[in-house]
């Protein structure tokens, strides 16, 4: 699993301008390195040229996958990776980088910039950090952490369960709560921290407790419901 | 006339030049006059392993004796003091060697010391020696200190390699491995350039350098140009003027140095070959002109039952003195076999003649009419006797070549190398293949797993388009079933992907081999070389990539492959970067040097190419010499992730 280059470009009309790039060609033999670097620059420029604004694409070239993201404001990023590198991580990297870049470099510099004139030093750091996708990407990082921390969570859940049980008693005892809200409450109990869990984790929990999936707005509602546990008034 | 003579002298073989330089060194750094009368001064020769490798292909022990060397020893061995004898040292100027030499000085081992360094010694180390000499009060004993600039090994009149001892340092793998740092690469390049520089000093000529761009060859070219230039500018110390040069400096034509990188042609080192010398290098243990054979003697009878066959090891030196070798080292193998047979027959005829004379002389006393025959026979006997040494030598050579050729033939038969050769020739010249590749790979009788791997790699390298995924999987499976390791393929895939990206694929010329059918070439019943079942393939002249490149550059032909090559002329005052050669005339002399390793197949191809051209000479050199087995090993290491 490897990343070879990371570049930021500007999709001008008609020409595409390379603003900044970082490369990792250490896996190529000494005399191939400069050629490979040039080749990747070229490919990146070509791909951006052929991609529409506001699009994301992955282009396969021999043993390499080039992921490109062109924003609506014509700022584009290309990352060249091998076939094994997870594309989701690649795209999140691109988004992050472009975001970072647009904050640090003035918009007016984009159409006329070149690697020499643009002052942005974060690319090398990003490239080397993202060589290990698990380390770098928050989602996979959390995934990894969750894999390791399932036990911890379990404890928390258990402790939650105890509390929940009390809450349950309260909920079931309450006569004010409608049947629907009680059911709803049962659901929300186990999804107390929606923002931190990924969908798959939600699935895990919902499966575990045989609950329907409760994504999006309802989780906020559940949260509110929890806060208002005493006065379970759900509109 | 003078010009022609000088030009001819400049084309003198590198072997001769290096031998002359060595002899001069052994003669206390005074030019050696061949027919000088009187006994030579007896001396001791001390060398390190580098020195040994340089001397052994050039001077036999007998020749050393002729120069007065009574004893030759390794530097790092225990040596007893011999206080009344001068010692000639021939070593590399490394830390260890310098320390040992200083120790020798302190221990007062010899009467006088003639220190010769294979390549130039640095000032600091020279001072170390001076200090040691001073401390040991041995300053007067250090008679001469020379930089010999002989840091290369000459194997043939027109072939040299850089080194043998530390060849891992400059191997193909060392240059092409991905995890090399800048400093390591610098060291490798410096080693190569140092040797090449020594080569040109010994040759006595400043070449015009051409090299391809973006490769290791380019780096070597840049550094060599710089080194030559610096040396030429240094008026006091220039090695290219004065009498060390000899006739070379008056040559009107400067030689062309073509630096190529191994990566332009990876198929040739893997190719199964059909010429004698290349075959010996491929299938037998052939090293620095010495071949080592294992001969199994018959089963020995002993009371305890049959002992397993004991293998005798025999080694032979294949030298320039060996006329048969010189004549046939580039011949196709069937021709060699036939020639050995012919030599044997002519030898037997001469032997019979001598025996006949012997018996006649024996009967002479009884025969009365013999006196008239006497003078006749005397003449015959005299000639027979005088030709005896020649005859004995001939016998020795015939034995030698019979053994070697038999060993080679055994390999050919067991591994069906003729089949491989023919098939690969067809692949490389893009003619249609009558048998499927898969068939050959899956055939359990044909060849070792390594042979199959070689064949497949050649196919993969020469293919215009890489085989489809499905096909590749099929081949891979067949190869694994046959017992091959797939690591070399991994590396070749990467190489090919890069080569495709960087430039057009190389072509191996269009030619055909004409097999004389599966004719059983049983020469005669007494022949040991029963080539039954072995195809009598005839090599047709084809130019390998390296030869083609040389042809373009030497003859100043315009060709997209070589037009972009860089041009260096160390003699020009201002080095410029243009690739436009200023010299428009074809070159008479050229040196081809392959950075990353070479082999006998390429060498033979160049020799064949230049044979047809009157008055032109080529020298072939490489950073290391490997056969296919060694090369596959390196590819395998490179392909491991």
């Amino acid at each position: 699993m490897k990343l070879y280059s990371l570049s930021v470009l500007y999709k001008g009309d008609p020409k595409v301008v390379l603003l900044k790039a970082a490369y990792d060609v250490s896996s190529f033999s000494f005399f191939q390195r400069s050629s490979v670097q040039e080749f990747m620059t070229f490919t990146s420029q070509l791909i951006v040229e052929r991609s529409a604004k506001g699009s994301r694409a992955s282009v396969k070239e021999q043993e390499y996958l080039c992921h490109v993201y062109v924003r609506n404001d014509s700022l584009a990023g290309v990352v060249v990776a091998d076939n094994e590198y997870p594309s989701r991580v690649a795209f999140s990297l691109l988004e992050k980088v472009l975001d970072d870049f647009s904050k640090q470099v003035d918009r007016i510099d984009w159409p006329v910039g070149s690697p020499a004139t643009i002052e942005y030093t974060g690319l090398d750091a990003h490239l080397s950090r993202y060589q290990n996708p698990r380390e770098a990407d928050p989602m996979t990082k959390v995934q990894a952490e969750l894999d390791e921390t399932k036990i911890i969570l379990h404890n928390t859940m258990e402790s939650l369960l105890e509390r929940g049980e009390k809450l349950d008693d309260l909920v079931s005892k309450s006569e004010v709560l409608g049947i629907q809200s009680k059911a709803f409450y049962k659901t929300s109990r186990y999804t107390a921290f929606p923002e931190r869990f990924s969908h798959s984790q939600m699935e895990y929990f919902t499966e575990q407790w045989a609950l329907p999936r409760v994504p999006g707005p309802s989780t906020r509602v559940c949260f509110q419901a929890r806060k208002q546990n005493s006065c379970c008034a759900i509109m | 006339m003078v010009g022609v003579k000088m030009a001819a002298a400049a084309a003198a073989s590198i072997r001769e030049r290096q031998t002359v330089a060595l002899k001069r060194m052994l003669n206390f750094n005074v030019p050696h006059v061949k027919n000088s009368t009187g006994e030579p001064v007896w001396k001791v020769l001390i060398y390190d392993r580098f020195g040994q490798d340089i001397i052994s292909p050039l001077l036999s022990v007998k020749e050393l004796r002729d120069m007065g060397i009574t004893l030759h020893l390794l530097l790092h061995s225990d040596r007893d003091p011999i206080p009344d004898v001068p010692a000639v040292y021939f070593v590399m100027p490394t830390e260890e060697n310098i320390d040992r030499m200083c120790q020798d000085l302190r221990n007062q081992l010899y009467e006088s010391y003639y220190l010769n360094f294979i390549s130039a010694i640095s000032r600091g180390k020279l001072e170390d020696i001076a200090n040691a000499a001073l401390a040991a009060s041995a300053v007067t004993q250090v008679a001469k200190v020379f930089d010999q600039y002989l840091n290369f090994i000459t194997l043939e009149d027109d072939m040299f390699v850089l080194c043998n001892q530390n060849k891992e340092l400059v191997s193909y793998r060392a240059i092409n491995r991905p995890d090399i740092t800048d400093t390591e690469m610098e060291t490798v390049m410096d080693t190569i350039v140092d040797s090449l520089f020594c080569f040109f000093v010994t040759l006595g000529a400043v070449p015009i350098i051409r090299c391809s761009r973006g490769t290791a060859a380019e780096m070597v070219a840049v550094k060599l140009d710089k080194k030559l230039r610096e040396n030429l500018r240094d008026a006091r110390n220039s090695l290219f003027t004065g009498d060390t040069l000899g006739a070379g400096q008056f040559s009107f034509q400067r030689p062309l140095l073509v630096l190529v990188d191994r990566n332009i042609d990876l198929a040739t080192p893997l190719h199964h070959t059909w010429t004698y010398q290349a075959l010996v290098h491929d299938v037998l243990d052939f090293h620095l002109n010495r071949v080592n054979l294992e001969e199994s003697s018959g089963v020995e009878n002993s009371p305890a039952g049959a002992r397993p066959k004991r293998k005798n090891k025999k080694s032979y030196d294949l030298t320039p003195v060996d006329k048969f070798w010189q004549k046939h080292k580039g011949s196709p193998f069937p021709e060699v076999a036939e020639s050995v047979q012919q030599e044997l027959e002519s030898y037997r005829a001469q032997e019979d003649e001598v025996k006949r004379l012997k018996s006649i002389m024996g009967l002479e006393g009884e025969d009365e009419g013999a006196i008239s025959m006497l003078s006749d026979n005397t003449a015959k006997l005299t000639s027979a006797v005088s030709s005896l040494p020649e005859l004995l030598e001939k016998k020795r050579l015939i034995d030698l070549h019979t053994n070697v050729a038999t060993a080679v033939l055994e390999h050919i038969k067991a591994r069906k190398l003729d089949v491989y050769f023919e098939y690969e020739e067809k692949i490389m010249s893009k003619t249609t293949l009558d048998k499927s590749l898969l068939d050959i790979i899956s055939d359990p009788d044909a060849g070792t797993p390594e042979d199959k791997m070689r064949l497949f790699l050649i196919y993969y390298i020469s293919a215009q388009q890489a085989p489809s995924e499905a096909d590749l999987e099929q081949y891979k499976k067949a190869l694994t079933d046959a017992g091959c390791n797939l690591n070399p393929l991994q590396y070749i895939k990467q190489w090919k992907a890069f080569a495709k990206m960087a430039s057009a694929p190389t072509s191996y010329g269009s030619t055909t081999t004409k097999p004389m059918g599966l004719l059983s070439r049983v020469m005669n019943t007494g022949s040991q070389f029963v080539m039954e079942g072995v195809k009598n393939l005839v090599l047709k002249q084809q130019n390998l990539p390296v030869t083609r490149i040389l042809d373009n550059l030497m003859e100043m032909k315009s060709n997209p492959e070589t037009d972009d090559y860089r041009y260096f002329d160390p003699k020009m005052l201002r080095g410029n970067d243009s690739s436009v050669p200023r010299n428009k005339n074809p070159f008479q002399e050229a040196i081809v040097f392959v950075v990353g390793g070479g082999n006998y197949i390429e060498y033979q191809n160049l020799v064949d190419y230049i044979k047809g051209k009157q008055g032109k000479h080529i020298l072939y050199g490489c950073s290391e010499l490997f056969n296919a087995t060694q090369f596959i090993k390196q590819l395998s290491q490179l392909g491991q992730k």
Side-chain angles (χ1 to χ4, degrees), chain B residues 334-359:
Chain B
E335 223 177 276
V336 170
E338 207 180 311
S339 307
V340 172
Q341 204 52 34
Q342 279 171 354
E343 291 282 307
L344 191 60
E345 274 161 23
S346 88
Y347 165 76
R348 282 200 185 131
Q350 281 181 293
E351 200 184 29
D352 285 341
E353 179 72 18
V354 173
K355 279 194 189 144
R356 198 177 63 81
L357 283 171
K358 222 168 89 180
S359 62

Side-chain angles (χ1 to χ4, degrees), chain A residues 26-27 29-33 39, chain B residues 176 178 182 185 216 498 501:
Chain A
S26 57
S27 60
S29 83
F30 191 86
F31 297 98
Q32 294 175 336
R33 286 172 196 171
F39 174 69
Chain B
N176 286 281
D182 285 350
M185 186 52 89
F498 179 77
M501 186 169 76

Side-chain angles (χ1 to χ4, degrees), chain B residues 200-396:
Chain B
F200 283 106
V201 170
T202 309
L203 193 64
V206 180
I208 291 182
I209 307 172
R210 309 273 335 246
C211 67
S212 56
R213 291 183 189 261
T215 57
E218 190 183 12
M219 203 164 170
V220 171
V222 167
K223 282 179 177 264
L224 183 63
D225 174 63
K226 184 157 169 253
K227 194 156 185 173
L228 286 168
R229 196 179 286 274
E230 277 169 2
N231 195 270
L232 284 169
R233 301 287 167 268
D234 186 358
R236 280 200 311 165
N237 280 338
S238 171
L239 296 157
F240 293 97
T241 56
D243 49 13
T244 52
L245 194 55
Q249 66 178 324
F250 301 115
S251 156
F252 293 125
Q253 268 276 341
R254 285 166 60 197
L256 168 69
L257 170 64
V258 178
L259 281 165
V260 287
D261 191 276
R262 179 74 266 156
N263 283 315
I264 55 155
D265 174 13
L266 288 190
T268 303
L270 296 167
H271 192 26
H272 285 92
T273 175
W274 203 237
T275 57
Y276 193 25
Q277 185 176 41
L279 263 174
V280 170
H281 187 228
D282 191 13
V283 304
L284 302 174
D285 179 12
F286 182 51
H287 196 56
L288 290 181
N289 288 349
R290 171 169 291 198
V291 62
N292 294 315
L293 293 179
E294 265 185 11
E295 281 182 356
S296 45
S297 55
V299 176
E300 297 204 356
N301 290 321
S302 83
R307 248 195 251 141
K309 283 188 186 172
R310 201 155 5 114
K311 293 204 168 178
N312 289 331
K313 282 207 166 177
K314 281 195 124 170
S315 50
Y316 300 110
D317 283 322
L318 296 166
T319 59
V321 184
D322 183 339
K323 293 207 193 83
F324 184 85
W325 177 246
Q326 290 309 313
K327 194 162 165 224
H328 288 286
K329 62 188 178 187
S331 314
F333 191 67
E335 223 177 276
V336 170
E338 207 180 311
S339 307
V340 172
Q341 204 52 34
Q342 279 171 354
E343 291 282 307
L344 191 60
E345 274 161 23
S346 88
Y347 165 76
R348 282 200 185 131
Q350 281 181 293
E351 200 184 29
D352 285 341
E353 179 72 18
V354 173
K355 279 194 189 144
R356 198 177 63 81
L357 283 171
K358 222 168 89 180
S359 62
I360 286 176
M361 294 313 284
L363 292 168
E364 185 210 301
E366 299 161 20
D367 224 3
E368 284 189 8
I371 298 175
S372 58
M373 282 178 25
L374 190 64
S375 53
D376 225 4
N377 284 334
T378 313
K380 280 196 197 153
L381 195 62
T382 319
S383 70
V385 166
S386 62
S387 68
L388 259 174
E390 198 189 296
L391 215 58
L392 284 171
E393 174 67 6
K394 207 169 176 180
K395 174 89 175 45
R396 182 187 76 88

